[in-house]
Amino acid sequence: MDSRAVDTVRVLAADAVQKVGNGHPGTAMSLAPVAYLLFQKVMRHNPNDPHWAGRDRFVLSCGHSSITLYIQLFLGGFGLELEDLQSLRTWGSKTPGHPEYGHTAGVEITTGPLGQGIANAVGMAMASRRERGLLDPDAPQGESLFDHQIYCLASDGDIEEGISSEASSIAGTQRLGNLTLIYDNNKISIEDDTNIALTEDTAARYEAYGWHVQTVDWTNAETHYAENVRAVAEALDAARAVTDRPSFISLRTIIGWPAPTKQGTGKAHGSALGDDEVAATKKVLGFDPEKTFEVSEEVLAHTRALRERGQQEQDAWQQKLDAWAAANPEAHALYQRLEAQELTPGWEDALPTWDADAKGVATRAASGKILTAIAPKLPELWGGSADLAESNNTTPEGEPSFLPTDRQTKMFSGGPYGRVLHFGIREHAMGAILNGIKAHGGTRPYGGTFLTFSDYMRGAVRLSALMKLPVTYVWTHDSIGLGEDGPTHQPIEHLAALRAIPGLDVVRPADANETAAAWKTILEHKDRPAGLILTRQNLPIVPRGTDGYADTEGVARGAYVLKDFGSADAEQFVILIGTGSEVQYALGAAEKLADEGIAARVVSMPCREWFDEQDEGYRNSVIPPEIKARVSVEAGVSQGWRDVVGDAGRIISIEHYGASAAGALLFEKFGFSADTVAAAARESL
Amino acid sequence: MDSRAVDTVRVLAADAVQKVGNGHPGTAMSLAPVAYLLFQKVMRHNPNDPHWAGRDRFVLSCGHSSITLYIQLFLGGFGLELEDLQSLRTWGSKTPGHPEYGHTAGVEITTGPLGQGIANAVGMAMASRRERGLLDPDAPQGESLFDHQIYCLASDGDIEEGISSEASSIAGTQRLGNLTLIYDNNKISIEDDTNIALTEDTAARYEAYGWHVQTVDWTNAETHYAENVRAVAEALDAARAVTDRPSFISLRTIIGWPAPTKQGTGKAHGSALGDDEVAATKKVLGFDPEKTFEVSEEVLAHTRALRERGQQEQDAWQQKLDAWAAANPEAHALYQRLEAQELTPGWEDALPTWDADAKGVATRAASGKILTAIAPKLPELWGGSADLAESNNTTPEGEPSFLPTDRQTKMFSGGPYGRVLHFGIREHAMGAILNGIKAHGGTRPYGGTFLTFSDYMRGAVRLSALMKLPVTYVWTHDSIGLGEDGPTHQPIEHLAALRAIPGLDVVRPADANETAAAWKTILEHKDRPAGLILTRQNLPIVPRGTDGYADTEGVARGAYVLKDFGSADAEQFVILIGTGSEVQYALGAAEKLADEGIAARVVSMPCREWFDEQDEGYRNSVIPPEIKARVSVEAGVSQGWRDVVGDAGRIISIEHYGASAAGALLFEKFGFSADTVAAAARESL
């Protein structure tokens, strides 16, 4: 019956892709036995409750083979039915071209952009260890309620993408024994035979990363093809038994097997097989070539028995959980809080405040103090940096690193359940690992690097936004103000380029107190990622709630009137809008203008996305539509600011690359000062 | 004397960083013997002519250690003097924080963003082979004028970044025997001991890529430190002798050696050592701790003898070149053309044209036909795709692949001197390899992937723009129009995000003929990269030079009046501005509006950067400032369009992620049609 079920998978894959006319049938056909083995025999999960915290996780890194996953979700009874497979890749279906998190029950994470899934799985494996450490640190290995496995299926493309190299090296250092990666080594990608581009010994590469490596060859050294499923099952058993290293299983397959003419070709990878080939495949498998989407009742009854088995497993787990909860009321309260994604009540009382100070502090330094202050209140908050901990100020003081015992150093101690992450200089993997951590459970991850290197991680940041995952990117050294490192390190276009990403909040506080308000607002959001943009250099700390200056309540609204300068009945009125380090120039200009009899309003606009969400009344109260004289000032490209300042407004920006010199000098050379803002204001009037 | 010179390097590095107060002294000190060995003993180059085509190339992938390179350029006499070292990292100096291409003689490429340099070096090694193949294919290995070596120095950070994994795997497949990578294995990065993040066996990893791997350990298994320069020299000799594989030399060093207290620490990596430590280091080395920037005349005379040796080598090479030129006049003419970066006269006559056709063709398909047509005229034009050749239409028909003999496949034949590149699914390395190819010499490289995966390669694209390198990115599948692959594959924010990059031309042609004009303009530029944005789906081919439609001359100006619809004396006049696939909706709307008595001008705007460069007169002739009724239509975010349409204008855009369904349906669902453009026009009036 299992064998018939596996062949049913192949037929469904061929039919589903053929029906819509495009898609990726090949991998789904050849990996049918593996996917079936995992979903029906190996993984612990319950189709009735795809969110069960005790479940094993499955990541389909080769997201283009989404039908591989959908068919298992259909057979196992996770909520997909035959008509869902029939509407593959069509408007409104539960079965889009690539698996989408939050859209289809049983899909653990959105995949498709290659390599991401491997890094997501690494993040899940890390999250699993951290969550266990928070809730049940003393249970023996493998005996905790919170011990489970992470399985990931990857293709040639995943292996080729650099992000997989980054993430896999981290996984080796982190000794992620709960992670198993199955590599479908079919030697075919879109450009057909991978000999033109992939000749490395991938298994040896994974050994070099410190993984436990096994090889299964269904081609039997290219002599004859036999799907030795038992060998895969044994390899999975062996992988599970190795708990001090992640496991890599290189499985040699023939893509599209057993399609008679297209197996082992690039054609089977990314296009429908064609009616004739589908029919011929059905004949090979003993199916009626005239029928489509043929699933026998026996097969479905057999595979849907998973619902009962899964329920029994979850029930047993729940009993244990109840016993554990009774014995560990504090840990259980934390567990419930994490599951609900609620922050510790009153946590925000721990947020520091700063007194007005002209010399000021860097917002990155303020952020570091904030993390140190709130870390004890929010154990779910954890993160680190891509080798720039001291520069990004991402380490809460005194907190332990997340490191296996033998990876600790003089500078960073901790343990396997620590909370300070060390990604090495691997920004892209960092982003995808944060996504994996967040998709796994209730913790709140963050990761830091220089803003300019947000370029290295956009692939992952976009997926945070697409999945609406509340991960926080800490991007410091946010402008030419970073100084001597010069143009390669100075962000110019990055604020605009990040704001362009739908669903990402780009938050650039103007001083230390705005930074605290920014962290507060970011952590209160559960449904979106944010990029927190911080300075290397000191920024003056603005007085608050005195002398006409507003407090920081307005930060959460994205923009607010920081201070109105000059007489209310002045004949001329101008609005000066700044973000981050340039708000100080707006303030300086406003004073000058007021001295000239021009009323000037300074608007601090730390987050344009938050401001755009406010109602029109509030927005108009901050920037009255009838006041056309407006100036924006931000040390980045002007792109996008015309919407704010209008045709009559002036934009103070930088449209070219920076230079290597002291930051203060660069601001002066490139036209950022109270004088230039004041001059632009006069022009705008 | 060499030993004193090497110690002089260390002292200069410490002094230069100490003077400016920030920078990276450690690597420059410990790698002083290696840099000196390369520049003074190993590499063939001539300080009098840093552009000599026969020179070996040096890439400092760890660009933060720029002083390593600057000191060698000073000692060798490439144009830097002591005062340049003294003005390290200051405004206007020749010695910025990171090495900058085109700024300092002897700097082959801009580095700093980690990992890029390794991929650049791979690109240079590929370019060297291709150039040799174009000019001197029949010379025995190692005996051509165009045979030379590429050396690259890399740090832990370079090794950690995924781009190095991508590029190094390609280098193995490509059997780049002319490439040697020296890895400074000092086990220290900014977060100090790399045991927290880098525990892989990097040498084994490179063996897995198919490289020739050697190890030199100056710590002698952590027992005693001895700078065995001879061992490095021998390893370099051995590397040169291996011509069928790239070479990797793992060199175990102690960073900052011999600084007495800071050697082997993260502090020596990225900060000035401090006056006391600098003085103590000088004592260790037998220098006067009271003096700074101490260079003895003898040392300088000794090292500057490189000028004479280099000149002799170049003179000898030039004699051979003259003899070769006489014997190979055609090849020599090509050589001169490549050196001058001039295109073949009349090449543009080969560009295809298309007749008007409502059904049309995809611009990606048009681009493929264009490449096929011009390939014979422009042998310098070469490129490929990140495993999407058939989708990106990047393969000129009938042209050979650039592949070692044993890497050819049924689908792709060719040879080591071929011109079709196969990057595998490695977008980031592709971009950096293109930069390396272009920085190496006179060929013109291009590379393709889906537009959405421009995210994976932004780190490299930004450097193309910063260096003003004329590489061409072919980004197809440019909108929701790609259809079923869904939101992970549908670009939404990418046009805006790419336009934000200073110095990058983003070119989105509206039909097949605009695509030809776009390629023409792009290839005529020598001083900047371009992204060519192409559709998956068919686009109607607009009539040209008839019925009021303009020809494609205006493409080069970035925007032009495609056609004026309606009566010249209509009371109402609106300007409809579209790019790429949305121009057809502007045309459809204009017809509707004209029927209603509203005059409508359709402006096709394939490249905003080109349009911005036009004089005001031209710009105003296309979009008259007095006409405030304007509509823009583009299947991407609105960001940046307010500048074009003004306060009164309307922007038809998409501000959210796409969906998995047929492309035509998505345009309809998401509001792109002649009707929506016409409605917006009426609103704008």
Side-chain angles (χ1 to χ4, degrees):
Chain A
M1 189 61 76
D2 286 334
S3 157
R4 185 66 177 174
V6 167
D7 289 341
T8 299
V9 173
R10 299 189 226 264
V11 167
L12 288 175
D15 276 340
V17 173
Q18 189 62 29
K19 178 158 194 287
V20 66
N22 52 69
H24 300 78
T27 301
M29 292 167 67
S30 44
L31 285 192
V34 176
Y36 185 84
L37 175 69
L38 283 170
F39 272 75
Q40 288 283 330
K41 310 286 178 186
V42 172
M43 287 172 64
R44 184 173 71 164
H45 51 184
N46 178 10
N48 305 291
D49 180 4
H51 298 287
W52 170 28
R55 75 194 184 278
D56 291 338
R57 308 296 203 274
F58 174 78
V59 176
L60 183 75
S61 193
C62 44
H64 54 268
S65 186
S66 58
I67 190 72
T68 296
L69 177 51
Y70 298 147
I71 292 172
Q72 292 306 323
L73 296 178
F74 159 65
L75 291 179
F78 286 78
L80 293 185
E81 297 301 340
L82 209 50
E83 57 265 31
D84 296 309
L85 302 183
Q86 287 163 342
S87 57
L88 179 70
R89 295 165 70 87
T90 59
W91 178 260
S93 82
K94 288 185 192 167
T95 50
H98 293 83
E100 294 180 21
Y101 175 82
H103 182 83
T104 311
V107 170
E108 299 281 1
I109 196 146
T110 297
T111 50
L114 290 169
Q116 300 284 336
I118 293 178
N120 297 150
V122 170
M124 290 181 183
M126 290 166 68
S128 172
R129 191 168 88 203
R130 171 79 182 152
E131 292 170 23
R132 179 201 211 275
L134 284 171
L135 300 170
D136 199 18
D138 300 325
Q141 179 74 39
E143 291 182 27
S144 168
L145 288 158
F146 305 103
D147 285 333
H148 54 256
Q149 301 290 315
I150 316 294
Y151 294 98
C152 179
L153 205 53
S155 63
D156 296 306
D158 296 296
I159 292 301
E160 289 174 337
E161 291 286 4
I163 186 174
S164 71
S165 185
E166 295 179 4
S168 300
S169 188
I170 293 172
T173 296
Q174 286 290 346
R175 299 190 168 283
L176 299 175
N178 54 350
L179 172 64
T180 301
L181 172 60
I182 302 173
Y183 165 41
D184 177 28
N185 179 18
N186 62 34
K187 299 194 190 296
I188 289 291
S189 60
I190 292 181
E191 295 189 10
D192 205 69
D193 186 338
T194 57
N195 192 43
I196 57 173
L198 183 65
T199 59
E200 65 178 37
D201 181 343
T202 306
R205 192 180 122 195
Y206 272 81
E207 271 176 18
Y209 297 138
W211 288 47
H212 166 241
V213 172
Q214 301 173 83
T215 301
V216 177
D217 182 3
W218 283 357
T219 72
N220 296 288
E222 319 285 323
T223 58
H224 62 288
Y225 199 69
E227 293 179 315
N228 188 345
V229 179
R230 174 171 296 182
V232 177
E234 287 170 358
L236 289 169
D237 285 344
R240 221 166 16 248
V242 174
T243 58
D244 66 342
R245 278 170 295 160
S247 276
F248 180 83
I249 300 172
S250 177
L251 174 63
R252 175 75 175 100
T253 66
I254 292 178
I255 194 170
W257 195 85
T261 72
K262 293 197 173 167
Q263 61 173 267
T265 69
K267 295 287 170 206
H269 170 96
S271 357
L273 296 175
D275 286 327
D276 292 349
E277 185 81 357
V278 172
T281 304
K282 287 177 186 171
K283 271 191 211 163
V284 170
L285 295 172
F287 282 66
D288 183 345
E290 303 293 314
K291 291 191 184 162
T292 61
F293 294 95
E294 188 183 351
V295 185
S296 76
E297 280 180 32
E298 294 76 15
V299 162
L300 200 60
H302 179 70
T303 60
R304 293 249 165 129
L306 179 62
R307 295 177 64 106
E308 203 174 319
R309 296 198 304 276
Q311 191 62 49
Q312 283 168 1
E313 291 203 85
Q314 183 166 353
D315 290 346
W317 183 89
Q318 186 65 41
Q319 279 194 344
K320 280 204 230 169
L321 183 86
D322 294 342
W324 169 82
N328 300 277
E330 271 187 45
H332 185 243
L334 176 58
Y335 170 75
Q336 288 183 306
R337 194 165 67 70
L338 296 186
E339 287 284 294
Q341 300 228 53
E342 300 291 352
L343 302 172
T344 309
W347 72 278
E348 66 272 20
D349 299 340
L351 285 167
T353 58
W354 283 262
D355 291 335
D357 177 3
K359 181 167 166 278
V361 299
T363 50
R364 64 171 172 147
S367 176
K369 277 205 191 309
I370 292 160
L371 288 173
T372 299
I374 64 179
K377 299 276 182 191
L378 298 176
E380 66 267 45
L381 184 65
W382 61 317
S385 165
D387 196 50
L388 290 168
E390 236 179 293
S391 299
N392 301 144
N393 298 70
T394 41
T395 310
E397 271 172 46
E399 296 291 339
S401 286
F402 180 84
L403 285 172
T405 311
D406 65 339
R407 305 307 194 198
Q408 299 180 44
T409 64
K410 210 155 74 178
M411 190 174 285
F412 292 103
S413 61
Y417 301 141
R419 70 190 297 181
V420 177
L421 295 171
H422 304 283
F423 295 99
I425 305 164
R426 304 184 182 103
E427 298 83 4
H428 202 177
M430 175 169 71
I433 286 172
L434 298 181
N435 288 338
I437 288 173
K438 187 60 245 173
H440 183 273
T443 66
R444 292 292 296 263
Y446 63 87
T449 185
F450 290 160
L451 177 56
T452 193
F453 300 127
S454 62
D455 276 352
Y456 272 49
M457 54 195 306
R458 273 180 81 90
V461 174
R462 180 178 212 253
L463 283 162
S464 310
L466 181 55
M467 290 189 275
K468 307 183 182 193
L469 292 175
V471 308
T472 306
Y473 295 101
V474 177
W475 286 315
T476 72
H477 294 58
D478 70 344
S479 76
I480 50 171
L482 67 85
E484 291 83 355
D485 273 343
T488 55
H489 282 53
Q490 289 162 359
I492 298 292
E493 71 276 24
H494 298 77
L495 292 169
L498 290 167
R499 287 186 186 125
I501 298 177
L504 175 69
D505 294 339
V506 178
V507 191
R508 189 168 185 246
D511 72 355
N513 289 306
E514 275 199 11
T515 308
W519 264 115
K520 176 171 184 290
T521 308
I522 288 169
L523 290 174
E524 283 169 353
H525 286 142
K526 301 178 188 181
D527 61 347
R528 57 176 86 181
L532 184 59
I533 315 288
L534 303 171
T535 65
R536 175 190 183 216
Q537 73 275 22
N538 286 351
L539 299 187
I541 299 169
V542 177
R544 292 288 169 181
T546 171
D547 196 22
Y549 287 92
D551 59 28
T552 57
E553 285 297 308
V555 168
R557 309 193 77 166
Y560 64 102
V561 179
L562 178 55
K563 183 174 174 179
D564 277 317
F565 289 79
S567 159
D569 43 45
E571 280 182 23
Q572 291 187 300
F573 188 59
V574 64
I575 305 175
L576 311 178
I577 304 146
T579 80
S581 49
E582 287 72 68
V583 168
Q584 61 185 306
Y585 304 125
L587 289 169
E591 272 186 38
K592 286 176 198 283
L593 294 165
D595 287 347
E596 297 168 23
I598 301 167
R601 162 173 291 186
V602 174
V603 171
S604 178
M605 190 176 272
C607 180
R608 294 194 45 191
E609 293 79 14
W610 296 345
F611 187 59
D612 288 345
E613 285 175 1
Q614 303 305 310
D615 59 50
E616 197 179 357
Y618 178 77
R619 283 186 279 120
N620 289 348
S621 76
V622 176
I623 305 179
E626 65 277 15
I627 309 296
K628 301 294 186 196
R630 302 176 194 170
V631 178
S632 72
V633 55
E634 181 174 83
V637 295
S638 66
Q639 186 177 299
W641 280 103
R642 184 62 59 194
D643 296 279
V644 176
V645 302
D647 287 352
R650 293 292 181 277
I651 300 169
I652 298 188
S653 65
I654 175 167
E655 305 296 329
H656 53 76
Y657 293 105
S660 174
L665 181 65
L666 294 177
F667 275 110
E668 189 190 314
K669 293 276 187 188
F670 294 141
F672 293 92
S673 69
D675 284 338
T676 57
V677 175
R682 287 180 213 110
E683 277 184 57
S684 182
L685 279 161
Chain B
M1 189 60 75
D2 286 334
S3 158
R4 184 68 176 173
V6 167
D7 288 341
T8 299
V9 173
R10 299 189 226 263
V11 167
L12 288 175
D15 275 340
V17 173
Q18 189 61 30
K19 179 159 193 288
V20 65
N22 52 68
H24 300 78
T27 302
M29 292 167 67
S30 44
L31 285 191
V34 177
Y36 185 83
L37 175 69
L38 283 170
F39 272 74
Q40 288 282 330
K41 310 287 178 186
V42 171
M43 287 172 64
R44 185 173 70 164
H45 51 184
N46 177 9
N48 305 291
D49 181 5
H51 298 288
W52 171 28
R55 73 193 184 280
D56 291 338
R57 308 295 203 273
F58 175 78
V59 177
L60 183 75
S61 193
C62 43
H64 55 267
S65 185
S66 59
I67 190 72
T68 296
L69 176 52
Y70 297 147
I71 292 173
Q72 292 306 324
L73 296 178
F74 159 65
L75 291 179
F78 285 77
L80 292 186
E81 299 301 340
L82 209 51
E83 56 265 31
D84 296 310
L85 302 184
Q86 286 162 343
S87 57
L88 179 70
R89 296 165 69 88
T90 59
W91 178 259
S93 82
K94 288 186 192 167
T95 50
H98 293 84
E100 293 181 21
Y101 175 81
H103 182 83
T104 310
V107 171
E108 300 280 2
I109 195 145
T110 297
T111 49
L114 289 170
Q116 300 284 337
I118 294 178
N120 297 151
V122 170
M124 291 182 182
M126 290 166 68
S128 172
R129 190 169 90 201
R130 170 79 184 152
E131 292 171 23
R132 180 201 210 276
L134 284 172
L135 300 170
D136 199 18
D138 300 326
Q141 178 73 41
E143 292 181 25
S144 168
L145 289 158
F146 306 103
D147 284 334
H148 55 255
Q149 301 290 314
I150 316 293
Y151 294 98
C152 179
L153 204 53
S155 62
D156 295 306
D158 296 297
I159 292 300
E160 289 174 336
E161 290 285 3
I163 186 175
S164 70
S165 186
E166 295 179 5
S168 300
S169 188
I170 292 172
T173 296
Q174 286 290 345
R175 299 189 167 284
L176 299 174
N178 54 351
L179 172 64
T180 301
L181 172 60
I182 302 172
Y183 165 41
D184 178 28
N185 180 18
N186 63 34
K187 299 194 190 295
I188 289 291
S189 61
I190 293 181
E191 294 188 11
D192 205 70
D193 186 337
T194 56
N195 192 44
I196 55 172
L198 184 65
T199 59
E200 65 179 37
D201 181 343
T202 307
R205 191 180 122 197
Y206 273 79
E207 272 176 16
Y209 296 138
W211 289 47
H212 166 241
V213 172
Q214 301 174 82
T215 301
V216 177
D217 181 3
W218 284 358
T219 72
N220 295 288
E222 320 285 324
T223 57
H224 63 287
Y225 199 69
E227 293 179 318
N228 188 345
V229 179
R230 175 171 295 183
V232 177
E234 287 170 357
L236 289 169
D237 284 344
R240 222 167 13 251
V242 173
T243 59
D244 66 342
R245 278 169 296 159
S247 276
F248 180 83
I249 300 172
S250 177
L251 174 63
R252 175 76 175 100
T253 66
I254 291 178
I255 194 170
W257 195 86
T261 71
K262 293 197 174 168
Q263 62 174 266
T265 70
K267 295 287 171 207
H269 171 96
S271 353
L273 296 175
D275 286 326
D276 292 349
E277 184 82 358
V278 172
T281 304
K282 287 177 185 170
K283 272 191 209 163
V284 170
L285 296 171
F287 281 66
D288 183 344
E290 303 293 313
K291 290 191 185 162
T292 60
F293 294 97
E294 188 183 352
V295 186
S296 76
E297 280 179 33
E298 294 77 16
V299 162
L300 199 60
H302 179 70
T303 59
R304 292 250 166 129
L306 179 63
R307 295 178 65 106
E308 202 173 321
R309 295 198 305 278
Q311 190 62 49
Q312 284 168 0
E313 290 204 86
Q314 184 168 353
D315 290 346
W317 183 89
Q318 185 64 40
Q319 278 193 344
K320 280 205 232 170
L321 183 85
D322 294 341
W324 169 82
N328 301 278
E330 272 187 45
H332 185 243
L334 176 59
Y335 170 74
Q336 288 183 306
R337 193 164 68 69
L338 295 187
E339 286 285 293
Q341 299 229 54
E342 300 291 351
L343 302 172
T344 309
W347 72 277
E348 66 271 22
D349 298 341
L351 284 167
T353 57
W354 283 262
D355 292 335
D357 177 3
K359 182 168 165 278
V361 299
T363 51
R364 64 171 172 147
S367 176
K369 278 203 188 311
I370 292 161
L371 288 172
T372 298
I374 64 178
K377 300 273 181 191
L378 298 176
E380 66 268 44
L381 184 66
W382 61 315
S385 165
D387 195 51
L388 290 168
E390 237 180 293
S391 299
N392 302 145
N393 298 69
T394 41
T395 309
E397 271 173 45
E399 296 291 339
S401 285
F402 180 84
L403 285 172
T405 311
D406 64 339
R407 307 306 195 199
Q408 300 179 45
T409 64
K410 208 155 76 176
M411 191 173 285
F412 293 103
S413 61
Y417 302 141
R419 70 192 297 183
V420 178
L421 295 171
H422 304 283
F423 295 99
I425 305 164
R426 304 183 182 103
E427 299 83 5
H428 203 178
M430 176 169 71
I433 285 172
L434 298 180
N435 288 338
I437 289 173
K438 186 59 245 172
H440 183 273
T443 66
R444 293 291 297 262
Y446 63 86
T449 185
F450 290 159
L451 176 57
T452 193
F453 299 126
S454 62
D455 276 351
Y456 271 50
M457 54 195 305
R458 273 181 82 90
V461 174
R462 182 178 210 250
L463 284 161
S464 309
L466 181 57
M467 291 190 273
K468 306 183 182 190
L469 293 175
V471 307
T472 306
Y473 295 100
V474 178
W475 286 315
T476 72
H477 294 59
D478 70 344
S479 76
I480 50 171
L482 69 83
E484 291 83 354
D485 273 343
T488 55
H489 284 52
Q490 289 163 358
I492 297 293
E493 70 276 25
H494 298 78
L495 292 169
L498 290 167
R499 287 185 186 126
I501 298 177
L504 175 70
D505 294 340
V506 179
V507 191
R508 189 169 186 246
D511 72 354
N513 290 306
E514 275 199 11
T515 308
W519 264 114
K520 176 170 183 290
T521 308
I522 288 169
L523 290 174
E524 282 168 354
H525 287 141
K526 301 179 188 181
D527 61 347
R528 58 176 87 180
L532 184 59
I533 313 289
L534 304 171
T535 64
R536 175 189 182 216
Q537 74 275 19
N538 286 351
L539 299 186
I541 299 169
V542 178
R544 293 289 169 182
T546 171
D547 196 22
Y549 287 92
D551 59 27
T552 59
E553 285 297 308
V555 168
R557 309 193 77 165
Y560 64 102
V561 180
L562 178 55
K563 184 174 173 178
D564 278 317
F565 289 79
S567 159
D569 42 46
E571 279 181 23
Q572 292 187 299
F573 188 59
V574 64
I575 305 175
L576 310 178
I577 304 146
T579 81
S581 49
E582 288 71 69
V583 169
Q584 61 184 307
Y585 303 126
L587 288 169
E591 272 185 39
K592 285 175 198 282
L593 294 165
D595 288 348
E596 297 169 22
I598 301 167
R601 162 172 293 186
V602 174
V603 171
S604 177
M605 190 175 273
C607 180
R608 294 194 45 189
E609 293 79 15
W610 298 344
F611 187 60
D612 289 345
E613 285 175 2
Q614 303 304 310
D615 59 49
E616 198 180 355
Y618 178 76
R619 282 186 280 121
N620 289 349
S621 76
V622 177
I623 305 179
E626 67 276 14
I627 308 297
K628 302 293 186 198
R630 302 176 195 170
V631 178
S632 72
V633 55
E634 182 174 82
V637 294
S638 66
Q639 185 177 300
W641 280 103
R642 185 61 59 194
D643 297 279
V644 176
V645 302
D647 287 352
R650 294 291 182 275
I651 301 169
I652 299 188
S653 65
I654 174 167
E655 306 295 329
H656 52 77
Y657 294 105
S660 174
L665 181 66
L666 293 178
F667 276 111
E668 190 190 314
K669 293 277 187 189
F670 295 141
F672 293 92
S673 69
D675 285 337
T676 57
V677 175
R682 287 180 212 109
E683 277 185 56
S684 182
L685 279 162

